[in-house]
Amino acid sequence: MPLRSDWSARPCAIARSLDVVGDPWVLLVLRDALLGARRFEQFRERLEIADNVLSRRLQAMVAAGLLRKATYRGEQRTHQEYLLTEAGADLLPVLNALALWGEKHTTPPRPDAHIAIVHTACGETSSSADACDNCGTPMTAGDTAWRRSWHTPELTELRPADNN
Amino acid sequence: MPLRSDWSARPCAIARSLDVVGDPWVLLVLRDALLGARRFEQFRERLEIADNVLSRRLQAMVAAGLLRKATYRGEQRTHQEYLLTEAGADLLPVLNALALWGEKHTTPPRPDAHIAIVHTACGETSSSADACDNCGTPMTAGDTAWRRSWHTPELTELRPADNN
DNA sequence: GAAGTAGACTTCCTTTGAGCAAGTGAACAG
DNA sequence: CTGTTCACTTGCTCAAAGGAAGTCTACTTC
C-alpha cells in the first residue's frame, strides 16, 4: 500500500506522464535545470528544499531518465552534476504552459514580477508553450529562454552547456 | 509545519501554478472534466481514486477556482456537479503538453494505446499543445478534443456543455 | 409509509513521505 | 592536520494517501 498510486501502466499518456512528473519538486528541479543549475548545492539554495527531499528527487529523476549524473572537475575540486537528458529537456513545453497559466490566473507577490518566454532563435517573446508565435517554428530548450523581471541567486560555475 | 511547501507567493509563475496544480490528482480530475465528467461518481469510477481523496481534491479545486459546484435536476434525482471554470479550462495546454511528452517518452501498456490532440474547429490533429499546427489558431477547451484509441467507461447523463 | 438503493460524502485506520535538524564522510585548502 | 565545503544520510514528528466502512439524504418501489 504505497502512499501514491502507480500510473506508469495506464493507457492514457497524460496519466503516464504524471507518474513521472506529477510532483511539484520534480518540475521545479527541471525549471532550475533549464535555467542552468547543475549541482546539488545550486538546486538546494534556489529551491529552498530540504536536503533529503532533494536527494531523493534527484535520484528518482535519474532513474526516470530526466537527468543524468556526472562528475566533473571544477576549479577547486571535483563536483557531482545533474544534466538534463533529452527527455528532461522535452518537458520545456509543460513548464511553459504552466508559466503562461500562472501569469494569467495567479497573482504575483509584487505586480512587476513577471516571466516571459523568449525564443532566442528569433528574439521574440512567445505566448505559445511549444511553438514560437512569431516565427512559427517549434521551440526547444536550446533556443528558448525565460526572461524574468526579478532577481535570483546567481548561478556560479556555469560551464558551457555541452550536454555530453 | 505543513507537509507541503507553499509556493503561492513566489515571484515565479511556474511555482505559483504548481502550488495549485502540482498534484497528480488535480490534473487527472481536470483531464476527466475536459472529457465530460461532472459528477462525483463519474470521477470516482474513472480515476480509481479513494472517496475521501476525491472529496478533498474537489473541494480544494473549487476553492482554487478551477471548478465550480452546482446542483442540477437529472432525470431521476438532483445531482451535484463540478463544472470547469475558465481557469480550469485554461489548463488544457498543460494537459496537452503532458500528453505529447508521454506519447514520446513513456511506453504504453499496449502498443496501440495512443492519444491524439484534435482541433475540432479544423478537424486536424495537432502536435502543439496550444496552437493548432494546421490552421495556426490558438486551441481552447471548446474547440479541442482528445482522440484515444482505447475505451473508457462511458460518460452517461451528459448534459449540453452550457457552462452556466 | 416502510424498505431499499444510489449518490455524495465523512470517519477511522495504518503507512509513507515531507519538512526540519543534525550527523557523516570524502575532497580539498591553508 | 585542522577547517571547510559539498553531497549526502539518519532520525524525528506530523499530516495526508489509500483502503474500508459508516452516514445522511433523495428518490424509487412495494
Side-chain angles (χ1 to χ4, degrees), chain A residues 8-159:
Chain A
S8 63
R10 283 291 152 95
C12 177
I14 297 173
R16 294 199 306 279
S17 294
L18 288 172
D19 199 67
V20 180
V21 299
D23 175 304
W25 285 126
V26 169
L27 272 324
L28 289 171
V29 166
L30 286 168
R31 178 198 63 180
D32 280 5
L34 284 162
L35 285 167
R38 290 150 181 264
R39 297 215 328 271
F40 188 95
E41 182 60 22
Q42 294 172 329
F43 289 112
R44 196 181 67 88
E45 177 190 10
R46 298 158 56 86
L47 290 172
E48 302 180 60
I49 185 177
D51 295 16
N52 54 354
V53 177
L54 177 57
S55 179
R56 261 200 297 265
R57 282 294 171 288
L58 290 173
Q59 282 176 38
M61 290 171 75
V62 169
L66 303 179
L67 298 175
R68 183 165 55 80
K69 192 174 182 178
T71 306
Y72 78 98
R73 174 73 217 183
E75 293 177 11
Q76 284 87 16
R77 47 141 78 218
T78 58
H79 291 283
Q80 305 302 313
E81 63 179 356
Y82 295 90
L83 301 172
L84 282 168
T85 61
E86 196 202 330
D90 279 352
L91 282 161
L92 176 70
V94 175
L95 292 170
N96 280 342
L98 287 169
L100 292 168
W101 188 86
E103 282 290 323
K104 183 173 178 189
H105 291 287
T106 66
T107 310
R110 269 160 296 137
D112 61 330
H114 294 292
I115 188 173
I117 300 161
V118 181
H119 187 221
T120 54
C122 73
E124 295 296 312
T125 63
S126 177
S127 59
S128 163
D130 54 10
C132 175
D133 51 21
N134 175 55
C135 67
T137 55
M139 295 189 293
T140 64
D143 58 22
T144 310
W146 290 313
R147 180 159 37 81
R148 290 160 302 146
S149 62
W150 68 94
H151 79 289
T152 313
E154 292 304 317
L155 285 171
T156 52
E157 296 189 56
L158 277 187
R159 299 185 305 126

Side-chain angles (χ1 to χ4, degrees), chain B residues 13-120:
Chain B
I14 296 173
R16 292 199 307 277
S17 294
L18 288 171
D19 198 68
V20 179
V21 299
D23 175 304
W25 284 127
V26 169
L27 273 322
L28 290 172
V29 166
L30 287 168
R31 178 198 64 180
D32 280 5
L34 284 162
L35 285 168
R38 289 152 182 262
R39 299 217 324 272
F40 188 95
E41 181 60 23
Q42 294 174 330
F43 289 113
R44 197 181 68 87
E45 176 189 10
R46 299 158 57 86
L47 291 172
E48 302 181 61
I49 184 175
D51 296 15
N52 53 356
V53 176
L54 176 58
S55 179
R56 260 199 297 265
R57 280 296 170 287
L58 290 173
Q59 282 177 38
M61 291 171 73
V62 169
L66 303 178
L67 299 174
R68 182 165 58 81
K69 192 174 181 177
T71 306
Y72 78 97
R73 174 72 216 185
E75 291 176 13
Q76 283 85 17
R77 47 138 83 220
T78 57
H79 290 283
Q80 304 302 313
E81 65 180 354
Y82 295 88
L83 300 172
L84 283 167
T85 61
E86 197 203 330
D90 279 352
L91 282 161
L92 176 71
V94 174
L95 292 171
N96 280 341
L98 287 168
L100 293 167
W101 188 86
E103 281 290 322
K104 182 172 179 190
H105 292 287
T106 67
T107 310
R110 271 160 296 139
D112 61 329
H114 294 292
I115 188 173
I117 299 161
V118 181
H119 186 220
T120 54

Side-chain angles (χ1 to χ4, degrees), chain B residues 124-145:
Chain B
E124 295 295 312
T125 65
S126 176
S127 60
S128 163
D130 55 11
C132 176
D133 51 20
N134 175 56
C135 66
T137 55
M139 294 190 293
T140 63
D143 58 20
T144 310

